Amino acid sequence: MKIPIPPLPEFNPDQPKRIELKNGLVILLEEDHELPFINGTINIRGGSRDEPAAKVGLVDLYGEAWRTSGTTTQNGDKLDDLLEAKAAKVESGGDVDSTAISWSSLTKDEDRVFAIAVDLLLHPAFSNEKLTLAKQQAVAGIVRRNDDAAGIAEREAAKLVYGANSPYARDPEIATVMAVTVDDLKAWHAKTVTPNNIIISVEGDFDSAAMEKKLRDTFEGLPKGTAWPKAGGEFPGPTPGVYAVNKTDVNQSNVWILGVGTERNNPDYYALSVMNEIFSGGFGSRLFQNVRTKQGLAYEVGGGYGASYDHPGVFRVVAATKSESTVKATQAMLEEIENLKTQPFTDAELTSAKDQLLNSFIFHYDSKEKVLTEATTLEFYGYPADFLAKYRAGIEAVTIADLERVAKKYIDPAKLAVLVVGNEGQFGTPLTDLKKGPVHPVDITIPMPPGMRQQMSGEGEQ
């Protein structure tokens, strides 16, 4: 007996209450009285893609030293003790396009914990001692960054797609980290922390009217600042060819096939999403079935045509394979990419992909906290508030003709780069057998400032 499958219900999540103050600050409120907790985030535009090239790493250091330094009235160590006693958190951090302060507490402690978050936002201390500690931790991470082959592959992949000097691919170096000063942190803070550059989202056990009043009273008097510029830049994609990192202490390879992706506001986003699901969406995908299951050439394999919110994402097909099967696995991956243009999509593939996407979609937004997080993201990047609600209709409307069209339009094997991180002495078959021209060695040497190089040389002689 065939069990009937009911149609999916409409997806219309309750949107958070949106308030925009006269100075441009945006507030999003989502009441949830299930538990006696309140969580909030102050999102601020401006991130590592905006830091100067000579001081790459500034935003990471800023995000670390901001909270640990504390405020002009309470140092970070004292805040640690106070918050620990209340089982509460106030944290700061930085990302590629933003910085943030977040807080979390029991409802009864909200006023006190919120006051700490505001004090940290408006009166940060930026201690030289805490910045020095953050620098030491950053340098320790830089020195160890070539230990992990997968980490190397991810880092070098971004450089190939966006360009080594792109804000989306630059890496902090010891010299750029050590160049950051407390004055740099203060200048960054003054530049970014203006109300029209901020989105505050709060979720939990509160009354919206009372929370709105508290936020208005706290932030409405702040003077408006200069609007943060929108992201821009050119994204031509990688220079085609084969690129290799010879890592002699491993017995498997990380293979990345790379191209430039798209943005989520692309009208073809839905068709590309369905194509991705057919190509690499899971155990039943073409990539998994052919490269891993049938040919046994990879421990893991995946990827897809990536889409970011305000700049092109990355088209990547990634596999981890034994050293001796590196070339065969790469050839199989390239073949599956080519098949997107030449192997017809089937009705069964289309139906299965849509079902997978739509049935899993709701689990990304099955709580008020998740809905608020997504609403904040859409607000941050200037997307319409109903972008999520349109997803189901967009996916359901995709046809086989759409899949064939986007595959032909966006998939071009001639524009792709192949990156291999592995032990070349164990490959057996050389990478030149991929017939994509000469192999370009990738230098992953960590630049050492002269003083540190001498110090490390001295330590090695002892």
Side-chain angles (χ1 to χ4, degrees), residues 242-276:
V242 179
Y243 301 81
V245 176
N246 186 21
K247 188 164 173 58
T248 58
D249 60 346
V250 297
N251 60 7
Q252 69 177 44
S253 296
N254 284 267
V255 180
W256 289 51
I257 300 174
L258 299 156
V260 69
T262 190
E263 295 185 24
R264 292 200 179 200
N265 56 9
N266 182 344
D268 287 331
Y269 171 65
Y270 305 108
L272 286 166
S273 297
V274 176
M275 183 194 76
N276 278 345

PDB file of all heavy atoms in Angstrom, residues 242-276:
ATOM      1  N   VAL A 242      46.326  23.949 -12.867  1.00  0.00           N
ATOM      2  CA  VAL A 242      46.488  23.039 -11.735  1.00  0.00           C
ATOM      3  C   VAL A 242      47.482  23.654 -10.758  1.00  0.00           C
ATOM      4  O   VAL A 242      48.583  24.066 -11.159  1.00  0.00           O
ATOM      5  CB  VAL A 242      46.982  21.653 -12.187  1.00  0.00           C
ATOM      6  CG1 VAL A 242      47.169  20.730 -10.986  1.00  0.00           C
ATOM      7  CG2 VAL A 242      46.006  21.041 -13.180  1.00  0.00           C
ATOM      8  N   TYR A 243      47.105  23.712  -9.497  1.00  0.00           N
ATOM      9  CA  TYR A 243      47.924  24.306  -8.449  1.00  0.00           C
ATOM     10  C   TYR A 243      48.155  23.252  -7.365  1.00  0.00           C
ATOM     11  O   TYR A 243      47.218  22.545  -6.972  1.00  0.00           O
ATOM     12  CB  TYR A 243      47.232  25.538  -7.867  1.00  0.00           C
ATOM     13  CG  TYR A 243      46.965  26.609  -8.901  1.00  0.00           C
ATOM     14  CD1 TYR A 243      45.851  26.525  -9.747  1.00  0.00           C
ATOM     15  CD2 TYR A 243      47.837  27.677  -9.067  1.00  0.00           C
ATOM     16  CE1 TYR A 243      45.620  27.490 -10.715  1.00  0.00           C
ATOM     17  CE2 TYR A 243      47.609  28.643 -10.033  1.00  0.00           C
ATOM     18  CZ  TYR A 243      46.489  28.549 -10.854  1.00  0.00           C
ATOM     19  OH  TYR A 243      46.270  29.504 -11.806  1.00  0.00           O
ATOM     20  N   ALA A 244      49.389  23.152  -6.902  1.00  0.00           N
ATOM     21  CA  ALA A 244      49.720  22.061  -5.985  1.00  0.00           C
ATOM     22  C   ALA A 244      50.503  22.562  -4.777  1.00  0.00           C
ATOM     23  O   ALA A 244      51.428  23.369  -4.911  1.00  0.00           O
ATOM     24  CB  ALA A 244      50.523  20.990  -6.707  1.00  0.00           C
ATOM     25  N   VAL A 245      50.111  22.066  -3.625  1.00  0.00           N
ATOM     26  CA  VAL A 245      50.866  22.254  -2.386  1.00  0.00           C
ATOM     27  C   VAL A 245      51.416  20.887  -2.003  1.00  0.00           C
ATOM     28  O   VAL A 245      50.650  19.959  -1.739  1.00  0.00           O
ATOM     29  CB  VAL A 245      49.973  22.801  -1.248  1.00  0.00           C
ATOM     30  CG1 VAL A 245      50.777  22.896   0.047  1.00  0.00           C
ATOM     31  CG2 VAL A 245      49.384  24.148  -1.626  1.00  0.00           C
ATOM     32  N   ASN A 246      52.725  20.757  -2.012  1.00  0.00           N
ATOM     33  CA  ASN A 246      53.356  19.473  -1.689  1.00  0.00           C
ATOM     34  C   ASN A 246      53.538  19.379  -0.177  1.00  0.00           C
ATOM     35  O   ASN A 246      54.410  20.021   0.399  1.00  0.00           O
ATOM     36  CB  ASN A 246      54.700  19.355  -2.398  1.00  0.00           C
ATOM     37  CG  ASN A 246      55.316  17.979  -2.215  1.00  0.00           C
ATOM     38  OD1 ASN A 246      54.613  17.017  -1.907  1.00  0.00           O
ATOM     39  ND2 ASN A 246      56.624  17.880  -2.409  1.00  0.00           N
ATOM     40  N   LYS A 247      52.685  18.570   0.456  1.00  0.00           N
ATOM     41  CA  LYS A 247      52.751  18.392   1.909  1.00  0.00           C
ATOM     42  C   LYS A 247      53.206  16.953   2.166  1.00  0.00           C
ATOM     43  O   LYS A 247      52.418  16.006   2.026  1.00  0.00           O
ATOM     44  CB  LYS A 247      51.392  18.685   2.553  1.00  0.00           C
ATOM     45  CG  LYS A 247      51.431  18.699   4.071  1.00  0.00           C
ATOM     46  CD  LYS A 247      50.188  19.361   4.641  1.00  0.00           C
ATOM     47  CE  LYS A 247      50.110  19.242   6.154  1.00  0.00           C
ATOM     48  NZ  LYS A 247      51.272  19.826   6.851  1.00  0.00           N
ATOM     49  N   THR A 248      54.457  16.815   2.542  1.00  0.00           N
ATOM     50  CA  THR A 248      55.083  15.498   2.568  1.00  0.00           C
ATOM     51  C   THR A 248      54.750  14.672   3.810  1.00  0.00           C
ATOM     52  O   THR A 248      55.121  13.488   3.864  1.00  0.00           O
ATOM     53  CB  THR A 248      56.612  15.646   2.471  1.00  0.00           C
ATOM     54  OG1 THR A 248      57.077  16.469   3.563  1.00  0.00           O
ATOM     55  CG2 THR A 248      57.006  16.290   1.155  1.00  0.00           C
ATOM     56  N   ASP A 249      54.057  15.260   4.777  1.00  0.00           N
ATOM     57  CA  ASP A 249      53.780  14.523   6.013  1.00  0.00           C
ATOM     58  C   ASP A 249      52.361  13.956   6.058  1.00  0.00           C
ATOM     59  O   ASP A 249      51.850  13.632   7.128  1.00  0.00           O
ATOM     60  CB  ASP A 249      54.019  15.413   7.240  1.00  0.00           C
ATOM     61  CG  ASP A 249      53.133  16.655   7.244  1.00  0.00           C
ATOM     62  OD1 ASP A 249      52.542  16.969   6.195  1.00  0.00           O
ATOM     63  OD2 ASP A 249      53.027  17.309   8.301  1.00  0.00           O
ATOM     64  N   VAL A 250      51.702  13.834   4.892  1.00  0.00           N
ATOM     65  CA  VAL A 250      50.342  13.286   4.846  1.00  0.00           C
ATOM     66  C   VAL A 250      50.295  12.131   3.854  1.00  0.00           C
ATOM     67  O   VAL A 250      51.178  11.996   2.991  1.00  0.00           O
ATOM     68  CB  VAL A 250      49.302  14.361   4.447  1.00  0.00           C
ATOM     69  CG1 VAL A 250      49.247  15.469   5.485  1.00  0.00           C
ATOM     70  CG2 VAL A 250      49.605  14.936   3.063  1.00  0.00           C
ATOM     71  N   ASN A 251      49.278  11.285   3.984  1.00  0.00           N
ATOM     72  CA  ASN A 251      49.121  10.161   3.049  1.00  0.00           C
ATOM     73  C   ASN A 251      47.788  10.214   2.312  1.00  0.00           C
ATOM     74  O   ASN A 251      47.306   9.219   1.796  1.00  0.00           O
ATOM     75  CB  ASN A 251      49.267   8.830   3.777  1.00  0.00           C
ATOM     76  CG  ASN A 251      48.233   8.658   4.887  1.00  0.00           C
ATOM     77  OD1 ASN A 251      47.329   9.473   5.037  1.00  0.00           O
ATOM     78  ND2 ASN A 251      48.384   7.608   5.667  1.00  0.00           N
ATOM     79  N   GLN A 252      47.163  11.392   2.297  1.00  0.00           N
ATOM     80  CA  GLN A 252      45.961  11.588   1.502  1.00  0.00           C
ATOM     81  C   GLN A 252      45.981  12.997   0.932  1.00  0.00           C
ATOM     82  O   GLN A 252      46.756  13.851   1.368  1.00  0.00           O
ATOM     83  CB  GLN A 252      44.699  11.375   2.322  1.00  0.00           C
ATOM     84  CG  GLN A 252      44.431  12.421   3.379  1.00  0.00           C
ATOM     85  CD  GLN A 252      43.107  12.160   4.095  1.00  0.00           C
ATOM     86  OE1 GLN A 252      42.786  11.039   4.449  1.00  0.00           O
ATOM     87  NE2 GLN A 252      42.342  13.216   4.324  1.00  0.00           N
ATOM     88  N   SER A 253      45.123  13.237  -0.051  1.00  0.00           N
ATOM     89  CA  SER A 253      45.085  14.531  -0.730  1.00  0.00           C
ATOM     90  C   SER A 253      43.748  15.223  -0.504  1.00  0.00           C
ATOM     91  O   SER A 253      42.702  14.578  -0.439  1.00  0.00           O
ATOM     92  CB  SER A 253      45.302  14.358  -2.239  1.00  0.00           C
ATOM     93  OG  SER A 253      46.578  13.844  -2.505  1.00  0.00           O
ATOM     94  N   ASN A 254      43.816  16.533  -0.418  1.00  0.00           N
ATOM     95  CA  ASN A 254      42.623  17.369  -0.468  1.00  0.00           C
ATOM     96  C   ASN A 254      42.570  17.997  -1.859  1.00  0.00           C
ATOM     97  O   ASN A 254      43.493  18.726  -2.245  1.00  0.00           O
ATOM     98  CB  ASN A 254      42.684  18.461   0.598  1.00  0.00           C
ATOM     99  CG  ASN A 254      42.387  17.943   1.981  1.00  0.00           C
ATOM    100  OD1 ASN A 254      41.249  17.970   2.437  1.00  0.00           O
ATOM    101  ND2 ASN A 254      43.416  17.436   2.655  1.00  0.00           N
ATOM    102  N   VAL A 255      41.520  17.681  -2.598  1.00  0.00           N
ATOM    103  CA  VAL A 255      41.366  18.182  -3.964  1.00  0.00           C
ATOM    104  C   VAL A 255      40.208  19.170  -4.004  1.00  0.00           C
ATOM    105  O   VAL A 255      39.097  18.845  -3.571  1.00  0.00           O
ATOM    106  CB  VAL A 255      41.092  17.030  -4.954  1.00  0.00           C
ATOM    107  CG1 VAL A 255      40.934  17.578  -6.371  1.00  0.00           C
ATOM    108  CG2 VAL A 255      42.208  15.994  -4.897  1.00  0.00           C
ATOM    109  N   TRP A 256      40.482  20.366  -4.502  1.00  0.00           N
ATOM    110  CA  TRP A 256      39.448  21.398  -4.652  1.00  0.00           C
ATOM    111  C   TRP A 256      39.426  21.855  -6.105  1.00  0.00           C
ATOM    112  O   TRP A 256      40.455  22.275  -6.643  1.00  0.00           O
ATOM    113  CB  TRP A 256      39.739  22.604  -3.755  1.00  0.00           C
ATOM    114  CG  TRP A 256      39.559  22.368  -2.287  1.00  0.00           C
ATOM    115  CD1 TRP A 256      40.083  21.365  -1.544  1.00  0.00           C
ATOM    116  CD2 TRP A 256      38.801  23.182  -1.379  1.00  0.00           C
ATOM    117  NE1 TRP A 256      39.712  21.487  -0.229  1.00  0.00           N
ATOM    118  CE2 TRP A 256      38.921  22.593  -0.095  1.00  0.00           C
ATOM    119  CE3 TRP A 256      38.030  24.337  -1.528  1.00  0.00           C
ATOM    120  CZ2 TRP A 256      38.306  23.136   1.035  1.00  0.00           C
ATOM    121  CZ3 TRP A 256      37.425  24.883  -0.404  1.00  0.00           C
ATOM    122  CH2 TRP A 256      37.558  24.285   0.858  1.00  0.00           C
ATOM    123  N   ILE A 257      38.266  21.747  -6.740  1.00  0.00           N
ATOM    124  CA  ILE A 257      38.072  22.293  -8.086  1.00  0.00           C
ATOM    125  C   ILE A 257      37.241  23.561  -7.919  1.00  0.00           C
ATOM    126  O   ILE A 257      36.172  23.528  -7.303  1.00  0.00           O
ATOM    127  CB  ILE A 257      37.382  21.279  -9.000  1.00  0.00           C
ATOM    128  CG1 ILE A 257      38.249  20.005  -9.096  1.00  0.00           C
ATOM    129  CG2 ILE A 257      37.160  21.870 -10.388  1.00  0.00           C
ATOM    130  CD1 ILE A 257      37.592  18.878  -9.863  1.00  0.00           C
ATOM    131  N   LEU A 258      37.733  24.668  -8.483  1.00  0.00           N
ATOM    132  CA  LEU A 258      37.243  25.979  -8.053  1.00  0.00           C
ATOM    133  C   LEU A 258      36.846  26.896  -9.196  1.00  0.00           C
ATOM    134  O   LEU A 258      37.482  26.931 -10.253  1.00  0.00           O
ATOM    135  CB  LEU A 258      38.339  26.678  -7.239  1.00  0.00           C
ATOM    136  CG  LEU A 258      38.776  25.949  -5.963  1.00  0.00           C
ATOM    137  CD1 LEU A 258      40.185  26.358  -5.577  1.00  0.00           C
ATOM    138  CD2 LEU A 258      37.790  26.242  -4.847  1.00  0.00           C
ATOM    139  N   GLY A 259      35.784  27.663  -8.947  1.00  0.00           N
ATOM    140  CA  GLY A 259      35.363  28.736  -9.833  1.00  0.00           C
ATOM    141  C   GLY A 259      34.640  29.785  -9.012  1.00  0.00           C
ATOM    142  O   GLY A 259      34.425  29.622  -7.810  1.00  0.00           O
ATOM    143  N   VAL A 260      34.243  30.853  -9.656  1.00  0.00           N
ATOM    144  CA  VAL A 260      33.502  31.900  -8.953  1.00  0.00           C
ATOM    145  C   VAL A 260      32.016  31.560  -8.966  1.00  0.00           C
ATOM    146  O   VAL A 260      31.506  30.995  -9.937  1.00  0.00           O
ATOM    147  CB  VAL A 260      33.774  33.286  -9.585  1.00  0.00           C
ATOM    148  CG1 VAL A 260      33.155  33.400 -10.969  1.00  0.00           C
ATOM    149  CG2 VAL A 260      33.301  34.409  -8.674  1.00  0.00           C
ATOM    150  N   GLY A 261      31.314  31.866  -7.865  1.00  0.00           N
ATOM    151  CA  GLY A 261      29.898  31.553  -7.743  1.00  0.00           C
ATOM    152  C   GLY A 261      29.017  32.746  -8.025  1.00  0.00           C
ATOM    153  O   GLY A 261      29.295  33.544  -8.931  1.00  0.00           O
ATOM    154  N   THR A 262      27.960  32.909  -7.231  1.00  0.00           N
ATOM    155  CA  THR A 262      26.983  33.960  -7.504  1.00  0.00           C
ATOM    156  C   THR A 262      26.499  34.574  -6.196  1.00  0.00           C
ATOM    157  O   THR A 262      27.028  34.285  -5.123  1.00  0.00           O
ATOM    158  CB  THR A 262      25.801  33.390  -8.315  1.00  0.00           C
ATOM    159  OG1 THR A 262      24.974  34.467  -8.760  1.00  0.00           O
ATOM    160  CG2 THR A 262      24.963  32.413  -7.480  1.00  0.00           C
ATOM    161  N   GLU A 263      25.490  35.442  -6.290  1.00  0.00           N
ATOM    162  CA  GLU A 263      24.869  36.056  -5.113  1.00  0.00           C
ATOM    163  C   GLU A 263      23.448  35.517  -4.945  1.00  0.00           C
ATOM    164  O   GLU A 263      22.823  35.066  -5.901  1.00  0.00           O
ATOM    165  CB  GLU A 263      24.846  37.579  -5.256  1.00  0.00           C
ATOM    166  CG  GLU A 263      26.233  38.194  -5.286  1.00  0.00           C
ATOM    167  CD  GLU A 263      26.202  39.713  -5.318  1.00  0.00           C
ATOM    168  OE1 GLU A 263      25.191  40.306  -4.873  1.00  0.00           O
ATOM    169  OE2 GLU A 263      27.179  40.311  -5.792  1.00  0.00           O
ATOM    170  N   ARG A 264      22.939  35.613  -3.726  1.00  0.00           N
ATOM    171  CA  ARG A 264      21.626  35.029  -3.442  1.00  0.00           C
ATOM    172  C   ARG A 264      20.481  35.799  -4.083  1.00  0.00           C
ATOM    173  O   ARG A 264      19.383  35.272  -4.223  1.00  0.00           O
ATOM    174  CB  ARG A 264      21.408  34.946  -1.931  1.00  0.00           C
ATOM    175  CG  ARG A 264      22.326  33.942  -1.282  1.00  0.00           C
ATOM    176  CD  ARG A 264      21.803  33.517   0.063  1.00  0.00           C
ATOM    177  NE  ARG A 264      22.698  32.538   0.665  1.00  0.00           N
ATOM    178  CZ  ARG A 264      22.359  31.705   1.621  1.00  0.00           C
ATOM    179  NH1 ARG A 264      21.127  31.728   2.111  1.00  0.00           N
ATOM    180  NH2 ARG A 264      23.225  30.845   2.121  1.00  0.00           N
ATOM    181  N   ASN A 265      20.707  37.050  -4.445  1.00  0.00           N
ATOM    182  CA  ASN A 265      19.634  37.802  -5.090  1.00  0.00           C
ATOM    183  C   ASN A 265      19.588  37.581  -6.601  1.00  0.00           C
ATOM    184  O   ASN A 265      18.808  38.226  -7.310  1.00  0.00           O
ATOM    185  CB  ASN A 265      19.760  39.300  -4.779  1.00  0.00           C
ATOM    186  CG  ASN A 265      21.112  39.869  -5.180  1.00  0.00           C
ATOM    187  OD1 ASN A 265      21.902  39.205  -5.842  1.00  0.00           O
ATOM    188  ND2 ASN A 265      21.389  41.099  -4.777  1.00  0.00           N
ATOM    189  N   ASN A 266      20.397  36.673  -7.090  1.00  0.00           N
ATOM    190  CA  ASN A 266      20.362  36.280  -8.496  1.00  0.00           C
ATOM    191  C   ASN A 266      19.030  35.562  -8.756  1.00  0.00           C
ATOM    192  O   ASN A 266      18.668  34.624  -8.049  1.00  0.00           O
ATOM    193  CB  ASN A 266      21.540  35.338  -8.773  1.00  0.00           C
ATOM    194  CG  ASN A 266      21.629  34.894 -10.222  1.00  0.00           C
ATOM    195  OD1 ASN A 266      20.680  35.029 -10.991  1.00  0.00           O
ATOM    196  ND2 ASN A 266      22.771  34.334 -10.593  1.00  0.00           N
ATOM    197  N   PRO A 267      18.253  35.973  -9.767  1.00  0.00           N
ATOM    198  CA  PRO A 267      16.991  35.280 -10.077  1.00  0.00           C
ATOM    199  C   PRO A 267      17.169  33.778 -10.343  1.00  0.00           C
ATOM    200  O   PRO A 267      16.223  33.008 -10.192  1.00  0.00           O
ATOM    201  CB  PRO A 267      16.492  36.007 -11.335  1.00  0.00           C
ATOM    202  CG  PRO A 267      17.141  37.339 -11.290  1.00  0.00           C
ATOM    203  CD  PRO A 267      18.474  37.127 -10.650  1.00  0.00           C
ATOM    204  N   ASP A 268      18.381  33.369 -10.715  1.00  0.00           N
ATOM    205  CA  ASP A 268      18.647  31.953 -10.972  1.00  0.00           C
ATOM    206  C   ASP A 268      19.031  31.187  -9.706  1.00  0.00           C
ATOM    207  O   ASP A 268      19.389  30.003  -9.782  1.00  0.00           O
ATOM    208  CB  ASP A 268      19.771  31.804 -12.006  1.00  0.00           C
ATOM    209  CG  ASP A 268      19.323  32.173 -13.414  1.00  0.00           C
ATOM    210  OD1 ASP A 268      18.118  32.005 -13.707  1.00  0.00           O
ATOM    211  OD2 ASP A 268      20.154  32.633 -14.199  1.00  0.00           O
ATOM    212  N   TYR A 269      18.974  31.839  -8.550  1.00  0.00           N
ATOM    213  CA  TYR A 269      19.386  31.207  -7.292  1.00  0.00           C
ATOM    214  C   TYR A 269      18.625  29.908  -7.036  1.00  0.00           C
ATOM    215  O   TYR A 269      19.220  28.905  -6.617  1.00  0.00           O
ATOM    216  CB  TYR A 269      19.173  32.194  -6.142  1.00  0.00           C
ATOM    217  CG  TYR A 269      19.362  31.613  -4.766  1.00  0.00           C
ATOM    218  CD1 TYR A 269      20.605  31.154  -4.339  1.00  0.00           C
ATOM    219  CD2 TYR A 269      18.293  31.529  -3.879  1.00  0.00           C
ATOM    220  CE1 TYR A 269      20.780  30.629  -3.069  1.00  0.00           C
ATOM    221  CE2 TYR A 269      18.456  31.001  -2.606  1.00  0.00           C
ATOM    222  CZ  TYR A 269      19.708  30.557  -2.211  1.00  0.00           C
ATOM    223  OH  TYR A 269      19.874  30.033  -0.951  1.00  0.00           O
ATOM    224  N   TYR A 270      17.324  29.894  -7.311  1.00  0.00           N
ATOM    225  CA  TYR A 270      16.521  28.708  -7.024  1.00  0.00           C
ATOM    226  C   TYR A 270      16.887  27.544  -7.949  1.00  0.00           C
ATOM    227  O   TYR A 270      17.022  26.395  -7.509  1.00  0.00           O
ATOM    228  CB  TYR A 270      15.030  29.042  -7.138  1.00  0.00           C
ATOM    229  CG  TYR A 270      14.631  30.199  -6.258  1.00  0.00           C
ATOM    230  CD1 TYR A 270      14.318  31.440  -6.808  1.00  0.00           C
ATOM    231  CD2 TYR A 270      14.597  30.058  -4.879  1.00  0.00           C
ATOM    232  CE1 TYR A 270      13.978  32.506  -5.995  1.00  0.00           C
ATOM    233  CE2 TYR A 270      14.252  31.123  -4.054  1.00  0.00           C
ATOM    234  CZ  TYR A 270      13.946  32.355  -4.631  1.00  0.00           C
ATOM    235  OH  TYR A 270      13.625  33.407  -3.814  1.00  0.00           O
ATOM    236  N   ALA A 271      17.051  27.839  -9.224  1.00  0.00           N
ATOM    237  CA  ALA A 271      17.441  26.785 -10.164  1.00  0.00           C
ATOM    238  C   ALA A 271      18.837  26.257  -9.834  1.00  0.00           C
ATOM    239  O   ALA A 271      19.087  25.047  -9.911  1.00  0.00           O
ATOM    240  CB  ALA A 271      17.392  27.310 -11.596  1.00  0.00           C
ATOM    241  N   LEU A 272      19.738  27.148  -9.451  1.00  0.00           N
ATOM    242  CA  LEU A 272      21.077  26.714  -9.073  1.00  0.00           C
ATOM    243  C   LEU A 272      21.039  25.868  -7.801  1.00  0.00           C
ATOM    244  O   LEU A 272      21.811  24.911  -7.661  1.00  0.00           O
ATOM    245  CB  LEU A 272      21.985  27.931  -8.869  1.00  0.00           C
ATOM    246  CG  LEU A 272      22.423  28.645 -10.157  1.00  0.00           C
ATOM    247  CD1 LEU A 272      23.027  30.006  -9.836  1.00  0.00           C
ATOM    248  CD2 LEU A 272      23.421  27.784 -10.929  1.00  0.00           C
ATOM    249  N   SER A 273      20.141  26.197  -6.880  1.00  0.00           N
ATOM    250  CA  SER A 273      20.008  25.412  -5.654  1.00  0.00           C
ATOM    251  C   SER A 273      19.556  23.992  -5.960  1.00  0.00           C
ATOM    252  O   SER A 273      20.058  23.018  -5.379  1.00  0.00           O
ATOM    253  CB  SER A 273      19.011  26.081  -4.704  1.00  0.00           C
ATOM    254  OG  SER A 273      19.467  27.351  -4.290  1.00  0.00           O
ATOM    255  N   VAL A 274      18.599  23.848  -6.877  1.00  0.00           N
ATOM    256  CA  VAL A 274      18.126  22.511  -7.260  1.00  0.00           C
ATOM    257  C   VAL A 274      19.231  21.764  -8.004  1.00  0.00           C
ATOM    258  O   VAL A 274      19.459  20.568  -7.776  1.00  0.00           O
ATOM    259  CB  VAL A 274      16.851  22.610  -8.109  1.00  0.00           C
ATOM    260  CG1 VAL A 274      16.409  21.223  -8.583  1.00  0.00           C
ATOM    261  CG2 VAL A 274      15.721  23.267  -7.303  1.00  0.00           C
ATOM    262  N   MET A 275      19.941  22.456  -8.888  1.00  0.00           N
ATOM    263  CA  MET A 275      21.064  21.840  -9.589  1.00  0.00           C
ATOM    264  C   MET A 275      22.108  21.349  -8.593  1.00  0.00           C
ATOM    265  O   MET A 275      22.638  20.226  -8.716  1.00  0.00           O
ATOM    266  CB  MET A 275      21.693  22.832 -10.566  1.00  0.00           C
ATOM    267  CG  MET A 275      22.843  22.241 -11.393  1.00  0.00           C
ATOM    268  SD  MET A 275      23.833  23.497 -12.239  1.00  0.00           S
ATOM    269  CE  MET A 275      24.813  24.136 -10.860  1.00  0.00           C
ATOM    270  N   ASN A 276      22.410  22.170  -7.589  1.00  0.00           N
ATOM    271  CA  ASN A 276      23.375  21.771  -6.554  1.00  0.00           C
ATOM    272  C   ASN A 276      22.937  20.484  -5.860  1.00  0.00           C
ATOM    273  O   ASN A 276      23.759  19.597  -5.585  1.00  0.00           O
ATOM    274  CB  ASN A 276      23.518  22.870  -5.503  1.00  0.00           C
ATOM    275  CG  ASN A 276      24.475  23.968  -5.920  1.00  0.00           C
ATOM    276  OD1 ASN A 276      25.241  23.795  -6.864  1.00  0.00           O
ATOM    277  ND2 ASN A 276      24.430  25.080  -5.229  1.00  0.00           N
TER     278      ASN A 276
END
